[in-house]
Amino acid sequence: MLDTVPPETRLRARAHHVARWAGLAAGVVAASQVATVGDLGVGILYAIPAFGLCAVGGVLLGDALTPRPQEAVRTAGLAPRRVPDYLPPRMARLLLGQAALLVVLLTAAAAVASPDDLGRAGRSLSAACQGTTESAGPWPGLYYGLPVLLSLALGSAACGWALRRIAHRPGEEQQRRDRALAITAAWGLLVAVPLAGTAVTAAGSLSRLTCDGLPGTAGQWLLYPVGLVALVTALWCLCTVAAPRAIRR
């Protein structure tokens, strides 16, 4: 059986795989550079969205390099394409729940945070009992929470735009779903990694206090499982960005 597909078309059709991996590689380089910016670990908070946005860029580059359908007569359904139609429902619900939990945790942490020993606001947690005051840190108050929220807002806007572009671009339905899955997973990295870091950091600070009593103990028991689930989600999202079709299977 003769292969009637032109070589250049075949190469372009495969180019999105190379572009996706190039985006991941660029994300590693960008994250390693951004992580050194600032002090006290703030750079790491910006390294996460840098990696995620590079991953999104790789998916979009691959989408742009994929040839459009060349049929003389094309057909299309009358129903308009909507972004929610291409989102993976289970992953989307999980990530939206984790995003809401991240915002709640950061808001609560900011409300009870206190300055550290050098006066930097929102970087420590203090508790008083029996005439003494204890402090523990680092604590995910505004010092760390504000960069996380800004990064999440920027990443959400970029991923939303990318999903809209993919949904309305001509092409095969399965390609749209695969790329929408990859974009969703890239956004998931922007959610799950900070959530894991926030939960584990807060739980660690609570464990170093003795004046927090039962609320502190209960907080630790709640936060460590949240961090574990978020870490597993982050690994799942990373694998999905690299190979969305394999994950779908």
Side-chain angles (χ1 to χ4, degrees), residues 13-57:
R14 295 175 180 173
H16 72 278
H17 294 292
V18 178
R20 179 172 295 149
W21 281 98
L24 293 175
V28 172
V29 174
S32 63
Q33 295 297 318
V34 175
T36 61
V37 177
D39 58 353
L40 301 175
V42 174
I44 298 176
L45 302 179
Y46 293 112
I48 298 167
F51 177 84
L53 292 177
C54 286
V56 171

Side-chain angles (χ1 to χ4, degrees), residues 33-239:
Q33 295 297 318
V34 175
T36 61
V37 177
D39 58 353
L40 301 175
V42 174
I44 298 176
L45 302 179
Y46 293 112
I48 298 167
F51 177 84
L53 292 177
C54 286
V56 171
V59 175
L60 290 177
L61 177 60
D63 184 66
L65 294 176
T66 301
R68 296 176 179 235
Q70 301 296 324
E71 296 88 348
V73 178
R74 294 171 55 196
T75 60
L78 296 178
R81 299 193 197 111
R82 302 182 308 149
V83 171
D85 296 334
Y86 297 97
L87 293 178
R90 288 182 298 177
M91 176 181 280
R93 286 193 294 267
L94 174 64
L95 295 179
L96 286 174
Q98 291 192 5
L101 182 56
L102 175 61
V103 173
V104 170
L105 282 178
L106 290 175
T107 302
V112 300
S114 57
D116 63 7
D117 53 355
L118 295 179
R120 290 170 292 213
R123 195 177 173 270
S124 181
L125 177 66
S126 298
C129 64
Q130 299 178 354
T132 62
T133 301
E134 297 178 337
S135 296
W139 177 256
L142 282 181
Y143 189 87
Y144 295 110
L146 189 58
V148 171
L149 293 175
L150 291 175
S151 300
L152 181 61
L154 175 63
S156 298
C159 291
W161 176 84
L163 286 170
R164 181 176 175 81
R165 183 186 185 281
I166 288 173
H168 292 89
R169 184 182 185 274
E172 298 179 2
E173 284 291 299
Q174 190 58 52
Q175 288 180 345
R176 291 193 195 96
R177 295 187 184 280
D178 288 344
R179 287 160 191 173
L181 176 60
I183 296 295
T184 304
W187 183 72
L189 291 173
L190 307 182
V191 173
V193 175
L195 178 58
T198 299
V200 172
T201 300
S205 294
L206 289 173
S207 68
R208 290 189 289 273
L209 294 177
T210 60
C211 287
D212 51 4
L214 182 60
T217 303
Q220 295 177 54
W221 281 100
L222 290 174
L223 289 171
Y224 279 125
V226 169
L228 178 60
V229 172
L231 179 59
V232 173
T233 302
L235 294 175
W236 181 30
C237 289
L238 181 60
C239 294

